[in-house]
Each structure stands twice: as structure tokens, then as C-alpha cells.
Amino acid sequence: MNKITKLVSAIGLSAALVAPVIAENMKIGFLVKQPEEPWFQTEWRFADKAGKELNLDIIKIAVPDGEKTLNAIDSLAANGAKGFIICLPDPKLGTAIVNRAKQHGLKVIAVDDQFMNSKGKPIESVPLVMMAASEIGQRQGQELWKEMTKRGWKVEETGVMAITNNELDTARRRTTGSMEALKTAGFPAAQIYEVPTKSNDIPGAFDAGNSTLVQHPKVKNWLVIGMNDNTVLGGVRATEGQGFKAANVIGIGINGVDAVSELSKTSATGFFGSLLPSPDVHGYKTVYMMNDWLTKNIEPVKYTAVTDVVLLTRENYKEELAKKGL
Ligand code: FCA
């Protein structure tokens, strides 16, 4: 054998030995609409944890709009992914996403927000894992009532600022549940002021909150309702801007992980607390479901509502987050 043949056969041999060892992990995507929210960062973190356990590569992509979503699906397919989990940026993109996934032969699981068709009807064929929205909303209303009673507020002097986003079904169910619970507890419906937010972030909710405050200048105390922490934070910031003291405002958010910096402020604000559902479970469980689907052909159940929820306050948030490893 001359030198070159020796070299070639050595390379050939080592490639054959190495090939089975470097067999690639299966890839799945985890696409989220708002990666700036700790909620979605937590889902990603626990998706990665499941990925490690299952030898899967989790490809994490931010999809803030429709174009980015469709591009992300194309690039997942080009990279050899077999399926993806998604919190879509606009529920009405449901049909477009289902079609694009079908084109590439990718399986899809929805997390947090349900797919809708372009007419706004739910697409129930796509498996969905989400928080139990109405129940968690009801809990928001009950906790607001409890805290207002504890503070001895007079109902006649109190208003509810309910910042809504009714196009997003999970949001509508949360805020509706919250308002229903307040009415059931005895709060007058006529003092509940609904206002839609233009965007799902603090600035959008801040504007919505301001318009409510301007319209109801006689209200002394405010309860703030919204579908998540940022919405409620925006409303609370609006009350501060109009000169309301923390003692006259009670806002309770939803998501928990998005409220950590607010709850860790040294002095109390009108943001009283936040209901923490289970972003860890959402991230972890959906990856396991996808893996079962792809490797064992076990189809996920069509609807999983995650019910656990705990109220975080300034007093208990560190302890409660630690309990869940968050
Ligand atoms: C929606 C909200 C998020 C989070 C999630 C569970 O997607 O926009 O903030 O609450 O539901």
C-alpha cells in the first residue's frame, strides 16, 4: 500500500466507526410569539430540559408575526425537523400554519393560544395545551375581591378597570371569568369598565388604562383586571401616572414569572400579586407529547388544560417560585 491508499483506508475506517456515534438527534421546533416575556423563556427552558432527557434538539424560534412564522416553518423543514410546538402570534393564522406544516409533513402542537381559522372559529384538530383560562380568571376576580374587602374599601367608591383582548380566546376567557367572579361576590356590574388594549404589552395596556381613568374621574379606588402580568402592569402604571397611591389600587396579574421584578421592588405598588400557572409544565409536556407522536405514533389528546395555580405576592413569591424550580 502506498502512503495515499493507507491514508484513504484509515479515513474510511474511522468514518465507518464514527458514523453511528455521531447519529443526529431528532429535531423539533418550539416557536413563540413573544420571547421577551419570561413566560415564554420559561417554556423554552423546560422544553430544553425535556429535549435533553429525550435526546432531541429543540430549535427555538421567535415568531412575532405571520411572515416570520411561515419562514420559521420552512426553515425547520429545511433543517430536517419533524414537528413543532407553537404559541402563534395571531390566532387567525391557524389555517395558514396548518397548511404550511402539512406541505412539509411536520406535526404541530399548539401551546397557550388556540388556533383559529380566518373566520375566527377554533381549529380543534390541532392538539392544544393551555392554562385553564376561565378558572384562573375567576381566581383573579376572587382574589381582588378578597383584598379589597381586607382593605375595607367601600364598593361605591371603587371601579374595575378591565383591560381586554377579546380576539384572543384565552384572554377573553380569563377576563370574563374574572369579571363574573367579582359580580358573583357582589360587585356591581355597572362599575366594571371594560377597555380593549391595542397591543399585548405594557404600553398598550397603559394607554387603555389611561382612557378609563380619564372617563371615570370620580372613582377613588381601582381594581385592575387583565389577561396577563404585562396587561395589569400597564393598567397599574396608568393609575400611578394619574396620581393614585398604591393603597388605592389592587392589580393582580397572570403568568407569575413576568411579575418577578415588580414584586421584588422594595416598596409596594398597586400591583398586588400575580397568579402563577405552569409554564414549566407547558414547555416540558408538549415536548414529551411531540416525541411520543413522532416516535411511537401516540397521538396527543386534543385538549389539555393545566389547572395548577398559585397566588404570588411580595411575601411569598421567592419561596413559591423556588418550589417549582423557577
Ligand atoms: C397568552 C399570553 C401570554 C401567556 C400565555 C399563557 O399567550 O399572551 O402572556 O399568558 O397566554
Side-chain angles (χ1 to χ4, degrees):
M1 256 196 253
N2 65 25
K3 262 191 190 164
I4 292 184
T5 358
K6 265 191 201 156
L7 188 65
V8 168
S9 76
I11 293 171
L13 185 64
S14 64
L17 283 176
V18 169
V21 180
I22 56 166
E24 271 186 35
N25 281 345
M26 187 167 73
K27 291 175 185 155
I28 66 175
F30 204 115
L31 281 45
V32 304
K33 62 178 181 180
Q34 284 178 285
E36 71 282 3
E37 284 188 2
W39 174 269
F40 294 109
Q41 294 162 18
T42 311
E43 285 186 341
W44 270 350
R45 184 147 68 85
F46 284 83
D48 271 335
K49 183 172 179 237
K52 279 220 179 75
E53 292 170 6
L54 296 166
N55 291 324
L56 297 173
D57 287 344
I58 310 295
I59 305 177
K60 301 183 284 292
I61 310 177
V63 291
D65 59 41
E67 201 186 321
K68 293 212 169 68
T69 306
L70 297 178
N71 288 340
I73 299 171
D74 292 344
S75 97
L76 284 174
N79 281 302
K82 298 283 178 253
F84 62 94
I85 294 143
I86 181 170
C87 179
L88 75 184
D90 174 350
K92 287 192 180 154
L93 289 169
T95 309
I97 296 173
V98 167
N99 290 341
R100 189 62 68 100
K102 262 199 198 131
Q103 253 175 40
H104 293 301
L106 297 174
K107 299 208 183 311
V108 192
I109 296 176
V111 71
D112 299 328
D113 298 356
Q114 188 171 30
F115 279 37
M116 302 280 172
N117 64 21
S118 53
K119 290 187 190 118
K121 283 254 157 4
I123 304 179
E124 278 157 9
S125 55
V126 177
L128 170 68
V129 175
M130 68 185 303
M131 71 169 77
S134 305
E135 289 81 351
I136 292 176
Q138 281 161 17
R139 179 81 187 275
Q140 185 185 57
Q142 288 156 2
E143 294 292 344
L144 285 168
W145 177 261
K146 211 199 261 176
E147 180 60 19
M148 112 171 222
T149 313
K150 199 167 150 203
R151 293 189 191 183
W153 288 1
K154 289 199 183 108
V155 170
E156 343 41 288
E157 296 175 345
T158 305
V160 172
M161 174 196 292
I163 305 176
T164 61
N165 172 0
N166 289 339
E167 274 92 67
L168 183 62
D169 190 60
T170 183
R172 186 185 54 75
R173 286 166 55 188
R174 294 177 213 176
T175 48
T176 307
S178 186
M179 292 186 278
E180 289 305 325
L182 276 166
K183 285 184 245 171
T184 305
F187 198 92
Q191 285 159 237
I192 299 179
Y193 310 115
E194 283 184 60
V195 59
T197 179
K198 288 206 179 74
S199 56
N200 286 326
D201 52 17
I202 297 180
F206 178 80
D207 289 347
N210 263 327
S211 76
T212 305
L213 295 173
V214 169
Q215 283 170 47
H216 305 283
K218 292 209 182 95
V219 175
K220 186 177 159 209
N221 304 309
W222 282 102
L223 300 177
V224 184
I225 284 179
M227 71 119 159
N228 64 8
D229 287 328
N230 281 346
T231 314
V232 173
L233 281 168
V236 169
R237 294 287 98 91
T239 62
E240 290 163 352
Q242 301 283 332
F244 286 87
K245 297 269 177 310
N248 299 93
V249 179
I250 308 168
I252 296 181
I254 294 175
N255 279 3
V257 284
D258 301 1
V260 174
S261 63
E262 179 74 11
L263 294 177
S264 54
K265 286 182 176 166
T266 41
S267 49
T269 69
F271 189 92
F272 174 74
S274 174
L275 293 162
L276 169 70
S278 301
D280 49 336
V281 175
H282 292 205
Y284 189 82
K285 196 180 172 70
T286 47
V287 169
Y288 265 83
M289 282 173 143
M290 181 58 84
N291 183 64
D292 280 349
W293 202 2
L294 291 168
T295 63
K296 301 179 199 150
N297 210 19
I298 303 176
E299 264 205 46
V301 289
K302 292 294 182 225
Y303 178 66
T304 307
V306 182
T307 48
D308 317 338
V309 64
V310 45
L311 176 66
L312 304 184
T313 61
R314 288 188 162 69
E315 285 68 45
N316 73 358
Y317 78 96
K318 280 192 189 142
E319 194 186 316
E320 290 296 339
L321 288 167
K323 270 191 210 163
K324 292 187 118 203
L326 294 174

PDB file of all heavy atoms in Angstrom, residues 22 36 42 46 57 71 95-96 109-110 125 127 145-146 164 170 184 193 196-197 211 222 272 277 285 289 294 299 305:
ATOM      1  N   ILE A  22     -22.050   9.534  15.868  1.00  0.00           N
ATOM      2  CA  ILE A  22     -22.490  10.920  15.682  1.00  0.00           C
ATOM      3  C   ILE A  22     -23.880  11.004  15.031  1.00  0.00           C
ATOM      4  O   ILE A  22     -24.268  12.019  14.505  1.00  0.00           O
ATOM      5  CB  ILE A  22     -21.459  11.762  14.885  1.00  0.00           C
ATOM      6  CG1 ILE A  22     -21.154  11.113  13.552  1.00  0.00           C
ATOM      7  CG2 ILE A  22     -20.198  12.014  15.701  1.00  0.00           C
ATOM      8  CD1 ILE A  22     -20.422  12.024  12.590  1.00  0.00           C
ATOM      9  N   GLU A  36     -39.812  37.957  24.585  1.00  0.00           N
ATOM     10  CA  GLU A  36     -39.379  38.905  25.621  1.00  0.00           C
ATOM     11  C   GLU A  36     -40.097  38.628  26.952  1.00  0.00           C
ATOM     12  O   GLU A  36     -39.652  39.077  28.001  1.00  0.00           O
ATOM     13  CB  GLU A  36     -39.596  40.364  25.160  1.00  0.00           C
ATOM     14  CG  GLU A  36     -41.044  40.852  25.083  1.00  0.00           C
ATOM     15  CD  GLU A  36     -41.815  40.361  23.835  1.00  0.00           C
ATOM     16  OE1 GLU A  36     -41.240  39.589  23.043  1.00  0.00           O
ATOM     17  OE2 GLU A  36     -42.993  40.738  23.684  1.00  0.00           O
ATOM     18  N   THR A  42     -39.480  30.714  30.024  1.00  0.00           N
ATOM     19  CA  THR A  42     -39.599  29.561  30.934  1.00  0.00           C
ATOM     20  C   THR A  42     -40.052  28.325  30.156  1.00  0.00           C
ATOM     21  O   THR A  42     -39.539  27.227  30.367  1.00  0.00           O
ATOM     22  CB  THR A  42     -40.584  29.886  32.075  1.00  0.00           C
ATOM     23  OG1 THR A  42     -40.230  31.150  32.619  1.00  0.00           O
ATOM     24  CG2 THR A  42     -40.542  28.828  33.158  1.00  0.00           C
ATOM     25  N   PHE A  46     -37.839  24.738  29.887  1.00  0.00           N
ATOM     26  CA  PHE A  46     -38.317  23.400  30.228  1.00  0.00           C
ATOM     27  C   PHE A  46     -38.478  22.508  28.996  1.00  0.00           C
ATOM     28  O   PHE A  46     -38.411  21.284  29.096  1.00  0.00           O
ATOM     29  CB  PHE A  46     -39.582  23.486  31.092  1.00  0.00           C
ATOM     30  CG  PHE A  46     -39.231  23.860  32.504  1.00  0.00           C
ATOM     31  CD1 PHE A  46     -39.037  25.187  32.862  1.00  0.00           C
ATOM     32  CD2 PHE A  46     -38.997  22.882  33.460  1.00  0.00           C
ATOM     33  CE1 PHE A  46     -38.642  25.543  34.153  1.00  0.00           C
ATOM     34  CE2 PHE A  46     -38.611  23.213  34.745  1.00  0.00           C
ATOM     35  CZ  PHE A  46     -38.431  24.556  35.097  1.00  0.00           C
ATOM     36  N   ASP A  57     -33.136  17.702  19.708  1.00  0.00           N
ATOM     37  CA  ASP A  57     -32.682  19.092  19.616  1.00  0.00           C
ATOM     38  C   ASP A  57     -33.916  19.974  19.505  1.00  0.00           C
ATOM     39  O   ASP A  57     -34.753  19.769  18.610  1.00  0.00           O
ATOM     40  CB  ASP A  57     -31.805  19.301  18.369  1.00  0.00           C
ATOM     41  CG  ASP A  57     -30.443  18.652  18.547  1.00  0.00           C
ATOM     42  OD1 ASP A  57     -30.091  18.327  19.702  1.00  0.00           O
ATOM     43  OD2 ASP A  57     -29.742  18.449  17.529  1.00  0.00           O
ATOM     44  N   ASN A  71     -41.917  31.579   7.571  1.00  0.00           N
ATOM     45  CA  ASN A  71     -40.484  31.377   7.281  1.00  0.00           C
ATOM     46  C   ASN A  71     -39.853  30.395   8.255  1.00  0.00           C
ATOM     47  O   ASN A  71     -39.014  29.570   7.869  1.00  0.00           O
ATOM     48  CB  ASN A  71     -39.715  32.703   7.374  1.00  0.00           C
ATOM     49  CG  ASN A  71     -40.050  33.611   6.205  1.00  0.00           C
ATOM     50  OD1 ASN A  71     -40.527  33.139   5.170  1.00  0.00           O
ATOM     51  ND2 ASN A  71     -39.827  34.903   6.373  1.00  0.00           N
ATOM     52  N   THR A  95     -55.090  28.480  10.063  1.00  0.00           N
ATOM     53  CA  THR A  95     -55.211  27.717   8.815  1.00  0.00           C
ATOM     54  C   THR A  95     -53.908  27.767   8.023  1.00  0.00           C
ATOM     55  O   THR A  95     -53.435  26.747   7.509  1.00  0.00           O
ATOM     56  CB  THR A  95     -56.363  28.282   7.945  1.00  0.00           C
ATOM     57  OG1 THR A  95     -57.520  28.362   8.781  1.00  0.00           O
ATOM     58  CG2 THR A  95     -56.659  27.416   6.748  1.00  0.00           C
ATOM     59  N   ALA A  96     -53.317  28.956   7.927  1.00  0.00           N
ATOM     60  CA  ALA A  96     -52.068  29.097   7.152  1.00  0.00           C
ATOM     61  C   ALA A  96     -50.965  28.216   7.750  1.00  0.00           C
ATOM     62  O   ALA A  96     -50.199  27.586   7.016  1.00  0.00           O
ATOM     63  CB  ALA A  96     -51.638  30.558   7.147  1.00  0.00           C
ATOM     64  N   ILE A 109     -48.237  20.979  17.461  1.00  0.00           N
ATOM     65  CA  ILE A 109     -48.975  21.073  18.727  1.00  0.00           C
ATOM     66  C   ILE A 109     -49.037  22.556  19.101  1.00  0.00           C
ATOM     67  O   ILE A 109     -48.028  23.258  19.028  1.00  0.00           O
ATOM     68  CB  ILE A 109     -48.277  20.277  19.854  1.00  0.00           C
ATOM     69  CG1 ILE A 109     -48.266  18.773  19.532  1.00  0.00           C
ATOM     70  CG2 ILE A 109     -48.949  20.525  21.211  1.00  0.00           C
ATOM     71  CD1 ILE A 109     -47.512  17.909  20.548  1.00  0.00           C
ATOM     72  N   ALA A 110     -50.240  23.016  19.480  1.00  0.00           N
ATOM     73  CA  ALA A 110     -50.388  24.421  19.891  1.00  0.00           C
ATOM     74  C   ALA A 110     -50.208  24.518  21.404  1.00  0.00           C
ATOM     75  O   ALA A 110     -50.703  23.666  22.145  1.00  0.00           O
ATOM     76  CB  ALA A 110     -51.769  24.926  19.503  1.00  0.00           C
ATOM     77  N   SER A 125     -58.712  20.315  15.542  1.00  0.00           N
ATOM     78  CA  SER A 125     -57.892  19.161  15.161  1.00  0.00           C
ATOM     79  C   SER A 125     -56.434  19.316  15.611  1.00  0.00           C
ATOM     80  O   SER A 125     -55.706  18.344  15.688  1.00  0.00           O
ATOM     81  CB  SER A 125     -57.951  18.968  13.641  1.00  0.00           C
ATOM     82  OG  SER A 125     -57.561  20.174  13.021  1.00  0.00           O
ATOM     83  N   PRO A 127     -53.792  19.607  18.378  1.00  0.00           N
ATOM     84  CA  PRO A 127     -53.722  19.402  19.831  1.00  0.00           C
ATOM     85  C   PRO A 127     -53.282  20.679  20.542  1.00  0.00           C
ATOM     86  O   PRO A 127     -52.403  21.395  20.053  1.00  0.00           O
ATOM     87  CB  PRO A 127     -52.657  18.312  19.993  1.00  0.00           C
ATOM     88  CG  PRO A 127     -52.521  17.676  18.651  1.00  0.00           C
ATOM     89  CD  PRO A 127     -52.913  18.691  17.635  1.00  0.00           C
ATOM     90  N   TRP A 145     -61.376  40.663  45.045  1.00  0.00           N
ATOM     91  CA  TRP A 145     -62.478  40.914  45.989  1.00  0.00           C
ATOM     92  C   TRP A 145     -61.991  40.724  47.430  1.00  0.00           C
ATOM     93  O   TRP A 145     -62.260  41.534  48.314  1.00  0.00           O
ATOM     94  CB  TRP A 145     -63.642  39.975  45.680  1.00  0.00           C
ATOM     95  CG  TRP A 145     -64.781  40.119  46.640  1.00  0.00           C
ATOM     96  CD1 TRP A 145     -65.049  39.319  47.718  1.00  0.00           C
ATOM     97  CD2 TRP A 145     -65.791  41.136  46.639  1.00  0.00           C
ATOM     98  NE1 TRP A 145     -66.160  39.768  48.382  1.00  0.00           N
ATOM     99  CE2 TRP A 145     -66.639  40.881  47.740  1.00  0.00           C
ATOM    100  CE3 TRP A 145     -66.067  42.233  45.822  1.00  0.00           C
ATOM    101  CZ2 TRP A 145     -67.740  41.681  48.043  1.00  0.00           C
ATOM    102  CZ3 TRP A 145     -67.174  43.036  46.121  1.00  0.00           C
ATOM    103  CH2 TRP A 145     -67.989  42.758  47.216  1.00  0.00           C
ATOM    104  N   LYS A 146     -61.235  39.667  47.625  1.00  0.00           N
ATOM    105  CA  LYS A 146     -60.719  39.356  48.961  1.00  0.00           C
ATOM    106  C   LYS A 146     -59.838  40.505  49.471  1.00  0.00           C
ATOM    107  O   LYS A 146     -59.985  40.965  50.602  1.00  0.00           O
ATOM    108  CB  LYS A 146     -59.872  38.070  48.854  1.00  0.00           C
ATOM    109  CG  LYS A 146     -59.883  37.209  50.109  1.00  0.00           C
ATOM    110  CD  LYS A 146     -58.707  36.252  50.124  1.00  0.00           C
ATOM    111  CE  LYS A 146     -59.017  34.860  49.671  1.00  0.00           C
ATOM    112  NZ  LYS A 146     -57.816  34.011  49.611  1.00  0.00           N
ATOM    113  N   THR A 164     -59.106  44.383  28.198  1.00  0.00           N
ATOM    114  CA  THR A 164     -59.455  43.144  27.484  1.00  0.00           C
ATOM    115  C   THR A 164     -58.713  42.997  26.146  1.00  0.00           C
ATOM    116  O   THR A 164     -58.192  43.969  25.594  1.00  0.00           O
ATOM    117  CB  THR A 164     -60.974  43.115  27.174  1.00  0.00           C
ATOM    118  OG1 THR A 164     -61.272  44.240  26.325  1.00  0.00           O
ATOM    119  CG2 THR A 164     -61.805  43.184  28.428  1.00  0.00           C
ATOM    120  N   THR A 170     -58.143  32.841  24.862  1.00  0.00           N
ATOM    121  CA  THR A 170     -57.689  32.594  26.238  1.00  0.00           C
ATOM    122  C   THR A 170     -57.784  33.877  27.066  1.00  0.00           C
ATOM    123  O   THR A 170     -58.121  33.853  28.246  1.00  0.00           O
ATOM    124  CB  THR A 170     -56.247  32.004  26.260  1.00  0.00           C
ATOM    125  OG1 THR A 170     -55.878  31.709  27.603  1.00  0.00           O
ATOM    126  CG2 THR A 170     -55.211  32.940  25.657  1.00  0.00           C
ATOM    127  N   THR A 184     -70.325  37.856  41.033  1.00  0.00           N
ATOM    128  CA  THR A 184     -70.865  36.827  41.933  1.00  0.00           C
ATOM    129  C   THR A 184     -70.598  37.209  43.390  1.00  0.00           C
ATOM    130  O   THR A 184     -71.424  36.999  44.270  1.00  0.00           O
ATOM    131  CB  THR A 184     -70.199  35.454  41.640  1.00  0.00           C
ATOM    132  OG1 THR A 184     -70.379  35.185  40.262  1.00  0.00           O
ATOM    133  CG2 THR A 184     -70.787  34.340  42.474  1.00  0.00           C
ATOM    134  N   TYR A 193     -65.560  48.639  34.183  1.00  0.00           N
ATOM    135  CA  TYR A 193     -65.340  49.343  32.922  1.00  0.00           C
ATOM    136  C   TYR A 193     -64.375  48.567  32.046  1.00  0.00           C
ATOM    137  O   TYR A 193     -63.193  48.455  32.371  1.00  0.00           O
ATOM    138  CB  TYR A 193     -64.796  50.747  33.206  1.00  0.00           C
ATOM    139  CG  TYR A 193     -65.615  51.493  34.227  1.00  0.00           C
ATOM    140  CD1 TYR A 193     -65.080  51.850  35.463  1.00  0.00           C
ATOM    141  CD2 TYR A 193     -66.958  51.804  33.972  1.00  0.00           C
ATOM    142  CE1 TYR A 193     -65.835  52.515  36.422  1.00  0.00           C
ATOM    143  CE2 TYR A 193     -67.727  52.461  34.924  1.00  0.00           C
ATOM    144  CZ  TYR A 193     -67.161  52.801  36.143  1.00  0.00           C
ATOM    145  OH  TYR A 193     -67.925  53.449  37.091  1.00  0.00           O
ATOM    146  N   PRO A 196     -60.572  47.749  25.621  1.00  0.00           N
ATOM    147  CA  PRO A 196     -59.659  46.856  24.893  1.00  0.00           C
ATOM    148  C   PRO A 196     -58.251  47.434  24.787  1.00  0.00           C
ATOM    149  O   PRO A 196     -58.091  48.650  24.690  1.00  0.00           O
ATOM    150  CB  PRO A 196     -60.285  46.758  23.498  1.00  0.00           C
ATOM    151  CG  PRO A 196     -61.122  47.980  23.365  1.00  0.00           C
ATOM    152  CD  PRO A 196     -61.518  48.440  24.741  1.00  0.00           C
ATOM    153  N   THR A 197     -57.256  46.559  24.812  1.00  0.00           N
ATOM    154  CA  THR A 197     -55.892  47.034  24.599  1.00  0.00           C
ATOM    155  C   THR A 197     -55.540  46.844  23.126  1.00  0.00           C
ATOM    156  O   THR A 197     -56.008  45.903  22.480  1.00  0.00           O
ATOM    157  CB  THR A 197     -54.875  46.289  25.494  1.00  0.00           C
ATOM    158  OG1 THR A 197     -53.566  46.787  25.224  1.00  0.00           O
ATOM    159  CG2 THR A 197     -54.882  44.790  25.262  1.00  0.00           C
ATOM    160  N   SER A 211     -57.243  55.781  29.337  1.00  0.00           N
ATOM    161  CA  SER A 211     -58.521  56.250  28.799  1.00  0.00           C
ATOM    162  C   SER A 211     -59.652  55.938  29.787  1.00  0.00           C
ATOM    163  O   SER A 211     -60.579  56.727  29.948  1.00  0.00           O
ATOM    164  CB  SER A 211     -58.775  55.696  27.398  1.00  0.00           C
ATOM    165  OG  SER A 211     -59.162  54.367  27.479  1.00  0.00           O
ATOM    166  N   TRP A 222     -59.167  51.647  42.636  1.00  0.00           N
ATOM    167  CA  TRP A 222     -59.268  50.851  41.407  1.00  0.00           C
ATOM    168  C   TRP A 222     -58.820  49.409  41.597  1.00  0.00           C
ATOM    169  O   TRP A 222     -57.786  49.141  42.218  1.00  0.00           O
ATOM    170  CB  TRP A 222     -58.386  51.467  40.315  1.00  0.00           C
ATOM    171  CG  TRP A 222     -58.986  52.678  39.669  1.00  0.00           C
ATOM    172  CD1 TRP A 222     -58.656  53.976  39.920  1.00  0.00           C
ATOM    173  CD2 TRP A 222     -60.015  52.692  38.683  1.00  0.00           C
ATOM    174  NE1 TRP A 222     -59.421  54.807  39.136  1.00  0.00           N
ATOM    175  CE2 TRP A 222     -60.268  54.049  38.368  1.00  0.00           C
ATOM    176  CE3 TRP A 222     -60.774  51.704  38.027  1.00  0.00           C
ATOM    177  CZ2 TRP A 222     -61.233  54.441  37.428  1.00  0.00           C
ATOM    178  CZ3 TRP A 222     -61.734  52.089  37.093  1.00  0.00           C
ATOM    179  CH2 TRP A 222     -61.954  53.444  36.808  1.00  0.00           C
ATOM    180  N   PHE A 272     -50.530  44.093  43.231  1.00  0.00           N
ATOM    181  CA  PHE A 272     -50.555  43.349  44.499  1.00  0.00           C
ATOM    182  C   PHE A 272     -49.942  41.951  44.381  1.00  0.00           C
ATOM    183  O   PHE A 272     -49.275  41.466  45.290  1.00  0.00           O
ATOM    184  CB  PHE A 272     -52.018  43.242  44.971  1.00  0.00           C
ATOM    185  CG  PHE A 272     -52.193  42.392  46.182  1.00  0.00           C
ATOM    186  CD1 PHE A 272     -51.793  42.852  47.439  1.00  0.00           C
ATOM    187  CD2 PHE A 272     -52.756  41.125  46.091  1.00  0.00           C
ATOM    188  CE1 PHE A 272     -51.948  42.064  48.563  1.00  0.00           C
ATOM    189  CE2 PHE A 272     -52.915  40.330  47.219  1.00  0.00           C
ATOM    190  CZ  PHE A 272     -52.504  40.805  48.456  1.00  0.00           C
ATOM    191  N   PRO A 277     -49.464  30.154  36.832  1.00  0.00           N
ATOM    192  CA  PRO A 277     -49.842  28.831  36.339  1.00  0.00           C
ATOM    193  C   PRO A 277     -48.561  28.003  36.153  1.00  0.00           C
ATOM    194  O   PRO A 277     -47.635  28.149  36.963  1.00  0.00           O
ATOM    195  CB  PRO A 277     -50.565  29.122  35.028  1.00  0.00           C
ATOM    196  CG  PRO A 277     -50.708  30.605  34.953  1.00  0.00           C
ATOM    197  CD  PRO A 277     -49.594  31.163  35.810  1.00  0.00           C
ATOM    198  N   LYS A 285     -44.150  19.268  28.907  1.00  0.00           N
ATOM    199  CA  LYS A 285     -45.145  18.274  28.498  1.00  0.00           C
ATOM    200  C   LYS A 285     -45.346  18.229  26.978  1.00  0.00           C
ATOM    201  O   LYS A 285     -45.482  17.166  26.392  1.00  0.00           O
ATOM    202  CB  LYS A 285     -46.468  18.648  29.183  1.00  0.00           C
ATOM    203  CG  LYS A 285     -47.506  17.560  29.205  1.00  0.00           C
ATOM    204  CD  LYS A 285     -48.753  18.096  29.911  1.00  0.00           C
ATOM    205  CE  LYS A 285     -49.900  17.137  29.808  1.00  0.00           C
ATOM    206  NZ  LYS A 285     -49.744  15.915  30.585  1.00  0.00           N
ATOM    207  N   MET A 289     -45.081  15.090  24.484  1.00  0.00           N
ATOM    208  CA  MET A 289     -46.210  14.699  23.610  1.00  0.00           C
ATOM    209  C   MET A 289     -45.753  14.563  22.166  1.00  0.00           C
ATOM    210  O   MET A 289     -46.100  13.622  21.465  1.00  0.00           O
ATOM    211  CB  MET A 289     -47.302  15.778  23.663  1.00  0.00           C
ATOM    212  CG  MET A 289     -48.163  15.748  24.883  1.00  0.00           C
ATOM    213  SD  MET A 289     -49.220  17.220  24.815  1.00  0.00           S
ATOM    214  CE  MET A 289     -50.705  16.544  25.485  1.00  0.00           C
ATOM    215  N   LEU A 294     -44.138  11.380  17.397  1.00  0.00           N
ATOM    216  CA  LEU A 294     -43.194  11.123  16.313  1.00  0.00           C
ATOM    217  C   LEU A 294     -42.545   9.740  16.401  1.00  0.00           C
ATOM    218  O   LEU A 294     -42.271   9.115  15.380  1.00  0.00           O
ATOM    219  CB  LEU A 294     -42.094  12.193  16.306  1.00  0.00           C
ATOM    220  CG  LEU A 294     -42.543  13.592  15.892  1.00  0.00           C
ATOM    221  CD1 LEU A 294     -41.456  14.612  16.193  1.00  0.00           C
ATOM    222  CD2 LEU A 294     -42.909  13.633  14.407  1.00  0.00           C
ATOM    223  N   GLU A 299     -50.914   9.640  19.310  1.00  0.00           N
ATOM    224  CA  GLU A 299     -51.449  10.986  19.040  1.00  0.00           C
ATOM    225  C   GLU A 299     -51.756  11.714  20.336  1.00  0.00           C
ATOM    226  O   GLU A 299     -52.353  11.128  21.240  1.00  0.00           O
ATOM    227  CB  GLU A 299     -52.731  10.861  18.226  1.00  0.00           C
ATOM    228  CG  GLU A 299     -52.471  11.012  16.758  1.00  0.00           C
ATOM    229  CD  GLU A 299     -53.701  11.485  16.011  1.00  0.00           C
ATOM    230  OE1 GLU A 299     -54.366  12.444  16.475  1.00  0.00           O
ATOM    231  OE2 GLU A 299     -53.986  10.872  14.974  1.00  0.00           O
ATOM    232  N   ALA A 305     -55.937  21.101  29.590  1.00  0.00           N
ATOM    233  CA  ALA A 305     -55.989  22.360  30.350  1.00  0.00           C
ATOM    234  C   ALA A 305     -55.189  22.168  31.627  1.00  0.00           C
ATOM    235  O   ALA A 305     -55.431  21.229  32.382  1.00  0.00           O
ATOM    236  CB  ALA A 305     -57.432  22.712  30.676  1.00  0.00           C
TER     237      ALA A 305
END
